[in-house]
Amino acid sequence: MTLLELVDVTASYGRVQVLEGVSLSVPDGGAVGILGANGAGKTTTLRAISGVVRTGGTIRFQDKDIRGLRPEQVAALGIAHVPEGRGTLGNLTVRENLMVGAYLRKDKKKVTQDVDYLIELFPNLKRRIGQPASALSGGEQQMLAVSRAFMASPTLLILDEPSLGLAPSTARDVYDAISRLRAESGISMLVVEQNATLAFSVVDSAVVLETGRSVLTGTTEELRGDDAIRKAYLGA
Ligand code: ATP
């Protein structure tokens, strides 16, 4: 079954149209990547889903038309968005950040279990559980941002360039943990990433954006075998 479907989505900032026709679909339980050069519209596609930019076209989540909903309405339906730049709350401790992610949940026992699970998954967060988020390294803040989004118990996790600004080995660690999170929880994901090698370690398929349009979709296997993709995104 299809969880999220975009058909010919357009989006603009004021009068400037940035998305010209983006189509993609995320199967239930699947993980899909969005690849593309700087400025291709990857971040804007995620913002269109989350209701942060004005959009046209069709955006369906669990067969419900969600285009035009406000960000908090989209979140309440089960879509958690980790924006570029993370957005953790620096003055709050790691534990408090996680609890902020869970603030709408009533299942308090499961909330505690999820915190325990996440700090097992990300041992760095366990070590720093009582420290303010501002004291964390870039990689740890990314791990916290992903964890906080997971604490909302979403059906779909949207990640905007989790590797941004991280040293290669740290980015690898973050992706390894994201992979485990996916395998263990079965959560669906939509992941924007410049680094296709990292993206392909988590996603089953990906869509390529060029100047605001989706121009190619394929399984990771197919895309790895595509010469143009290898040249543009895999450093081949
Ligand atoms: P990057 O990897 O650089 O973030 P991207 O593929 O995510 O690239 P977007 O951030 O979606 O691309 O940007 C697409 C286009 O929209 C770019 O030309 C960008 O300059 C423009 N744009 C982005 N944000 C705004 C904004 N708030 N107002 C006006 N134009 C914007």
Side-chain angles (χ1 to χ4, degrees):
M1 205 192 88
T2 301
L3 180 66
L4 175 77
E5 186 168 38
L6 274 61
V7 184
D8 273 331
V9 169
T10 58
S12 27
Y13 294 107
R15 288 191 183 167
V16 183
Q17 188 167 341
V18 168
L19 298 187
E20 311 260 356
V22 172
S23 300
L24 63 85
S25 73
V26 180
D28 216 349
V32 174
I34 302 180
L35 305 176
N38 277 324
K42 304 181 298 297
T43 293
T44 305
T45 300
L46 301 188
R47 287 186 183 149
I49 297 164
S50 291
V52 188
V53 288
R54 214 151 58 85
T55 51
T58 305
I59 306 179
R60 269 193 299 266
F61 180 68
Q62 293 176 322
D63 288 329
K64 183 180 189 307
D65 182 5
I66 63 163
R67 186 176 70 83
L69 295 186
R70 291 191 306 276
E72 67 275 18
Q73 295 175 308
V74 175
L77 290 174
I79 298 180
H81 186 159
V82 180
E84 209 171 41
R86 298 150 202 157
T88 52
L89 302 164
N91 295 331
L92 301 187
T93 66
V94 167
R95 184 183 294 283
E96 286 164 347
N97 267 277
L98 294 175
M99 295 315 287
V100 167
Y103 83 105
L104 282 177
R105 291 174 61 181
K106 305 269 182 288
D107 50 344
K108 296 301 168 206
K109 212 166 148 189
K110 184 76 182 16
V111 167
T112 309
Q113 282 172 8
D114 282 352
V115 171
D116 290 345
Y117 168 69
L118 288 165
I119 61 180
E120 209 53 52
L121 183 66
F122 295 110
N124 286 10
L125 296 185
K126 188 176 193 170
R127 279 193 287 280
R128 294 178 172 275
I129 191 84
Q131 295 182 19
S134 57
L136 305 186
S137 70
E140 289 165 347
Q141 287 194 22
Q142 186 63 60
M143 294 172 189
L144 179 57
V146 171
S147 299
R148 189 178 68 173
F150 186 81
M151 284 304 296
S153 197
T155 309
L156 176 68
L157 194 54
I158 294 185
L159 306 176
D160 196 349
E161 285 216 48
S163 73
L164 192 74
L166 303 181
S169 65
T170 309
R172 185 70 267 157
D173 290 346
V174 169
Y175 265 84
D176 285 347
I178 293 171
S179 262
R180 254 186 73 195
L181 189 64
R182 183 188 170 205
E184 292 172 4
S185 71
I187 192 168
S188 305
M189 295 185 176
L190 181 61
V191 184
V192 159
E193 188 54 72
Q194 293 258 356
N195 181 331
T197 307
L198 287 175
F200 287 176
S201 70
V202 169
V203 303
D204 316 310
S205 68
V207 52
V208 178
L209 299 193
E210 268 174 26
T211 56
R213 285 178 199 279
S214 41
V215 294
L216 181 66
T217 302
T219 64
T220 40
E221 209 57 20
E222 287 163 352
L223 295 173
R224 274 200 185 101
D226 183 304
D227 276 347
I229 296 294
R230 284 174 30 182
K231 281 209 184 77
Y233 303 107
L234 293 168

